[in-house]
Amino acid sequence: MKVGIVGAGMVGSSAGYALALMGLASEIVFVDQNEALAVAQAEDIAHAVPFMSSTVVNAGSYRDLDGCSVVIIAAGVSQKPGETRLALLERNAAVFRAVLGQVLPVAPDAILLIASNPVDVMTQITVRISNLPPHRVIGSGTILDTARFRSLVGRHLGISPQSVHAYVLGEHGDSEVLAWSSARAGSVPLSSFAAQVGSPLTDDVRANIDDGVRNAAYKIIRGKGSTYYGIGAGLARIIKAIARDERDVLSVSIVTPEVAGVKEVALSIPRVIGAEGVTADLFPDLDESEYTALNRSASILKERADAVVL
């Protein structure tokens, strides 16, 4: 599989590094407005490849994306001091229009994997600009938030996070919803498992885990300026499901006909992902408070996306 990465900054390069080490792609091509940066990232990652895989890593132009099965879009602009969220979104929409105008003619059959924030709104904007079917425009969504949730729950219970089956739903952002009521450890409801191992999920424990998931990015940004390793691995995990047609269930964002009473909105719920992109949506059982929170999250995202003028 050939994978293109548009945007060779920290997120794009971390995704490329993870892909190369895992040997998931036969070839990776970096494209960036800053050609020197794309070349530098490609060279640096290529020098790590002999230790782990045989992936070919190059920098190139948009025409070098020909033949890509997946294109990660990690491009975008940063918020200016005093700039509104809507103004930032409209500037990023203009960037995406330019990027997609060069990606789609050379890689018309590629699945687009959106990594730029705010990822849910940018996923919806990408569908509007590209006119691609929603199952082929996948936002990274809450895949990282879900990993954080499972990690913290696993740490509390003293088990591997891979044995925790729990999802974060809705926005990749402040209104996200931790779906406690449907969470499992192995095949056992989370509260029951926690009681059995002597690590009950008290209100304080849940609040601390919620805070750890919801505010993880802020903590990381305070310490080093930005987050990139976690999302880089998450993007590689999505591509693994596509490359191997694994039909894995992952929490990613696509434009969905209706979620919690809100129509045509991009947000995250568990979805089945394979070679064709998203093949099925899965709606977990939620309690009343979680459903209300998901409706609020969906409504916020819908309002933001509808406000952007393309």
Side-chain angles (χ1 to χ4, degrees), residues 42-298:
E43 285 288 299
D44 198 12
I45 294 171
H47 298 160
V49 166
F51 298 109
M52 301 296 294
S53 75
S54 58
T55 300
V56 175
V57 186
N58 290 309
S61 64
Y62 282 101
R63 64 177 176 271
D64 296 306
L65 299 178
D66 180 34
C68 283
S69 298
V70 178
V71 176
I72 297 173
I73 300 181
V77 293
S78 301
Q79 194 164 10
K80 296 177 180 178
E83 184 177 33
T84 66
R85 183 190 298 267
L86 179 58
L88 174 64
L89 281 171
E90 290 180 344
R91 287 202 299 130
N92 264 324
V95 171
F96 267 48
R97 184 182 294 279
V99 167
L100 293 169
Q102 299 193 72
V103 170
L104 293 175
V106 296
D109 298 322
I111 292 170
L112 302 182
L113 185 49
I114 311 303
S116 303
N117 279 320
V119 67
D120 302 291
V121 178
M122 296 313 300
T123 299
Q124 188 141 6
I125 287 172
T126 300
V127 171
R128 290 166 60 186
I129 292 172
S130 67
N131 290 317
L132 290 173
H135 72 274
R136 285 181 49 203
V137 181
I138 304 172
S140 56
T142 61
I143 192 166
L144 178 55
D145 310 272
T146 290
R148 290 166 174 161
F149 188 17
R150 294 177 179 184
S151 176
L152 291 174
V153 169
R155 187 180 302 173
H156 173 73
L157 298 178
I159 62 174
S160 165
Q162 294 181 343
S163 294
V164 177
H165 308 290
Y167 295 94
V168 177
L169 314 176
E171 178 190 12
H172 170 57
D174 294 339
S175 72
E176 64 189 21
V177 181
L178 278 64
W180 287 100
S181 63
S182 61
R184 299 285 187 273
S187 61
V188 180
L190 208 57
S191 294
S192 175
F193 187 100
Q196 291 182 52
V197 299
S199 298
L201 287 167
T202 64
D203 289 344
D204 284 345
V205 169
R206 290 185 184 230
N208 286 334
I209 291 175
D210 185 283
D211 180 73
V213 174
R214 199 175 301 277
N215 295 309
Y218 299 120
K219 179 179 181 181
I220 294 168
I221 289 168
R222 281 196 302 270
K224 67 173 190 175
S226 60
T227 68
Y228 37 87
Y229 292 134
I231 190 57
L235 293 165
R237 180 66 186 86
I238 296 168
I239 290 177
K240 177 174 177 281
I242 295 169
R244 298 180 181 176
D245 195 22
E246 290 182 333
R247 307 299 176 102
D248 281 329
V249 178
L250 303 172
S251 57
V252 295
S253 181
I254 68 169
V255 176
T256 312
E258 187 271 330
V259 177
V262 180
K263 298 184 183 300
E264 295 298 322
V265 61
L267 49 60
S268 289
I269 58 173
R271 306 184 195 270
V272 179
I273 300 182
E276 301 303 314
V278 172
T279 60
D281 300 331
L282 305 172
F283 293 87
D285 295 329
L286 303 175
D287 64 26
E288 185 176 350
S289 64
E290 291 166 347
Y291 183 89
T292 300
L294 184 57
N295 169 268
R296 174 178 175 271
S297 186

